[in-house]
Amino acid sequence: MKLKSTERLHVAVVGATHGAEAAAGEPGYPGGAARAARLSVCLTGLGCRVFHLSCAGLDSAGAGLINELARRGVNVDFMERAEPSAPGSRPVMTNTALLAARAMISSCHLMAVVPDIPEETFDFALRVARHFGVPVLCAAAPGCDYIGSRMRMLDVLVAGDDATLELSRIRPSDMETAEEAADYFLKKGAGASVIYHGARGATAGCEIREAAHYPAPVREGQFGEQSEDMFAAALCCALTLRRPLPDAATYAIAAAAAAAGAPPDATPPGHREITQKLAPSRQSR
């Protein structure tokens, strides 16, 4: 599959900036980065213009994380700054950044939302996106069960195995149960559902296409957080470029394989590295 240039793609990423263990830190991301920050970096590496809508602390860790995101090419003009509500906690995102960024959001091709923010802020983000006709991709994670009642507002739901179990009560341990879980999300109202299995590949389905399994081109390396974030980012790009869901899922799992085993501070793979992962699977057909 050959993708067009993504330079024209504008993506708004909404979610927490500091990870749950911000005090521990993380290589390459001062203060400990949450998934939205990592997703923004992966999207930027794929050539998208990314607007990061989140909240960072007023301390040096918050400033360091903003500077690191900016250094990696992420637009941080609309980020909030706030003190945490309690010592040792992370700053909580409100609607402020979304209100300030409405004009920018109206020009975006996609909004990617990570549901690690307050419910009311998540709901407001969905309303803003719907008002401007911007498709929403939700990158789910364990602990985000409140999205279960909001499936009908999601154009695409992306979930790993653990989040899938939490949201559907179905453990996607094999192809049959994974397809059952993907179909469950579709029946709940999601426009498309994509389940990421790491080295086992992905399962994807939509309103006009039954759920199917897409294997990873290679199984070597550690398919950790970096791979899952890269999978979601590549899926964002491919779907925004109106690629069919099978092509988008195949491209995304190749992106995850390209990121497997990379250290947290590594530069995310670009289209060239992803295409190299796809080449062996093409030859085997």
Side-chain angles (χ1 to χ4, degrees):
M1 180 187 68
K2 183 178 181 181
L3 285 180
K4 300 175 183 178
S5 170
T6 59
E7 289 181 0
R8 71 183 187 281
L9 295 184
H10 290 198
V11 180
V13 177
V14 181
T17 292
H18 289 281
E21 299 179 356
E26 180 179 335
Y29 295 96
R35 188 177 189 191
R38 303 194 307 266
L39 183 58
S40 289
V41 171
C42 291
L43 282 163
T44 302
L46 290 173
C48 297
R49 186 177 183 190
V50 180
F51 300 88
H52 190 74
L53 305 180
S54 188
C55 182
L58 293 171
D59 56 6
S60 59
L65 186 46
I66 288 176
N67 291 337
E68 181 65 17
L69 287 172
R71 185 185 72 81
R72 294 185 180 224
V74 178
N75 185 300
V76 294
D77 292 346
F78 299 98
M79 286 188 63
E80 295 180 60
R81 300 291 301 276
E83 293 284 2
S85 58
S89 65
R90 67 186 185 190
V92 177
M93 183 181 178
T94 65
N95 296 346
T96 302
L98 291 161
L99 285 167
R102 284 178 297 178
M104 178 276 295
I105 292 172
S106 69
S107 68
C108 283
H109 299 91
L110 179 77
M111 177 184 284
V113 186
V114 180
D116 56 0
I117 52 180
E119 287 186 54
E120 58 271 20
T121 305
F122 181 84
D123 289 340
F124 188 70
L126 298 187
R127 290 199 300 271
V128 171
R130 172 162 291 191
H131 176 75
F132 292 116
V134 177
V136 174
L137 180 146
C138 178
C144 60
D145 57 335
Y146 67 71
I147 69 174
S149 60
R150 297 160 170 84
M151 292 285 182
R152 294 189 181 278
M153 298 185 71
L154 306 179
D155 295 280
V156 184
L157 172 70
V158 183
D161 288 342
D162 291 340
T164 296
L165 173 62
E166 185 175 283
L167 290 169
S168 68
R169 300 294 185 264
I170 301 170
R171 184 179 296 279
S173 55
D174 53 33
M175 291 176 61
E176 182 178 353
T177 52
E179 291 174 6
E180 180 184 356
D183 287 336
Y184 171 85
F185 294 138
L186 295 177
K187 291 176 182 177
K188 294 286 286 184
S193 60
V194 184
I195 302 174
Y196 171 74
H197 308 301
R200 293 191 293 118
T203 301
C206 62
E207 296 170 335
I208 61 173
R209 186 180 295 273
E210 292 184 356
H213 180 72
Y214 302 91
V218 295
R219 299 173 68 96
E220 295 82 6
Q222 182 66 38
F223 283 70
E225 284 184 343
Q226 299 93 327
S227 290
E228 186 168 1
D229 297 333
M230 196 65 227
F231 177 87
L235 190 72
C236 285
C237 287
L239 290 177
T240 306
L241 287 168
R242 301 186 182 280
R243 303 304 303 172
L245 186 60
D247 284 0
T250 300
Y251 181 76
I253 197 62
D265 58 345
T267 300
H271 291 300
R272 179 177 297 178
E273 293 92 338
I274 297 170
T275 302
Q276 289 173 348
K277 290 294 182 182
L278 280 171
S281 62
R282 289 199 194 103
Q283 295 171 1
S284 63
R285 291 176 184 172

